[in-house]
Amino acid sequence: MPGSSRSTYKVAVEQIPPEPPVSPTPRPNWWKRNWKWFVPLGCFSIALLFVVFVGSVVVIVFSAVKSTDVYKDALTRAKSHPAVIEALGSPVTEGFLVSGNTNVNGASGEANLAIPVSGPKGKGTIYVAAKKSLGRWEYSGLVLEIANTHKRIDLLGSSAGAHSQ
């Protein structure tokens, strides 16, 4: 092939660097993923712990009052008193929310209590006022007040009769 020259064409190809592999967005930390359930649960847990703490204190205080000799004696007298059994029925059971205070320091002390009681026929409150001297409780008042009639039964007297005040 005369006169023909073979020429070589060189084509320049642009070299495009390969794209780096697409990596997923970095995973958010634990707090960012979980705060929506952790915050309410944390607040609820703190509130629950507070309620449990207060409840424990209340139970301990009421248990301490109920374990005193004056409380046990007042309840025993009320449960065995014929006028109380006639007014409230049998069995007479004590309530949970005892109010008042006791202060005992060794062989001396004082107690002022209001003990809720109930029976099949009704409810009432035992009121106790006592002082402890030389290791012995002396009652200045021990009465049961019937809730619906407000009659009072003297638990210190040997008579079974009730009297109003």
Side-chain angles (χ1 to χ4, degrees):
M1 304 202 192
S4 85
S5 74
R6 207 167 188 204
S7 55
T8 311
Y9 293 98
K10 289 188 180 177
V11 178
V13 178
E14 288 184 35
Q15 295 263 342
I16 300 174
E19 292 184 23
V22 178
S23 65
T25 57
R27 188 172 184 195
N29 65 19
W30 184 90
W31 178 252
K32 288 181 181 177
R33 290 189 325 263
N34 297 300
W35 74 271
K36 289 180 182 178
W37 66 265
F38 185 78
V39 170
L41 185 64
C43 292
F44 178 74
S45 298
I46 290 171
L48 183 65
L49 286 174
F50 179 75
V51 168
V52 167
F53 173 75
V54 170
S56 299
V57 169
V58 167
V59 166
I60 290 170
V61 168
F62 284 126
S63 296
V65 171
K66 288 182 175 187
S67 68
T68 60
D69 292 334
V70 69
Y71 174 90
K72 290 177 185 176
D73 185 48
L75 204 55
T76 302
R77 287 183 187 217
K79 286 182 176 183
S80 63
H81 200 281
V84 173
I85 294 171
E86 181 183 324
L88 300 181
S90 182
V92 175
T93 58
E94 68 266 22
F96 180 72
L97 297 174
V98 178
S99 61
N101 61 42
T102 59
N103 182 13
V104 178
N105 189 9
S108 65
E110 62 182 284
N112 291 299
L113 300 173
I115 306 167
V117 291
S118 63
K121 295 181 182 177
K123 296 180 179 182
T125 304
I126 302 170
Y127 293 105
V128 182
K131 289 193 177 194
K132 188 176 185 182
S133 180
L134 302 173
R136 188 170 193 182
W137 286 102
E138 297 292 331
Y139 293 94
S140 56
L142 181 59
V143 296
L144 170 82
E145 183 175 302
I146 309 299
N148 56 358
T149 62
H150 298 289
K151 285 188 177 181
R152 289 190 166 205
I153 301 170
D154 183 6
L155 300 176
L156 293 175
S158 58
S159 66
H163 64 278
S164 306
Q165 286 183 341

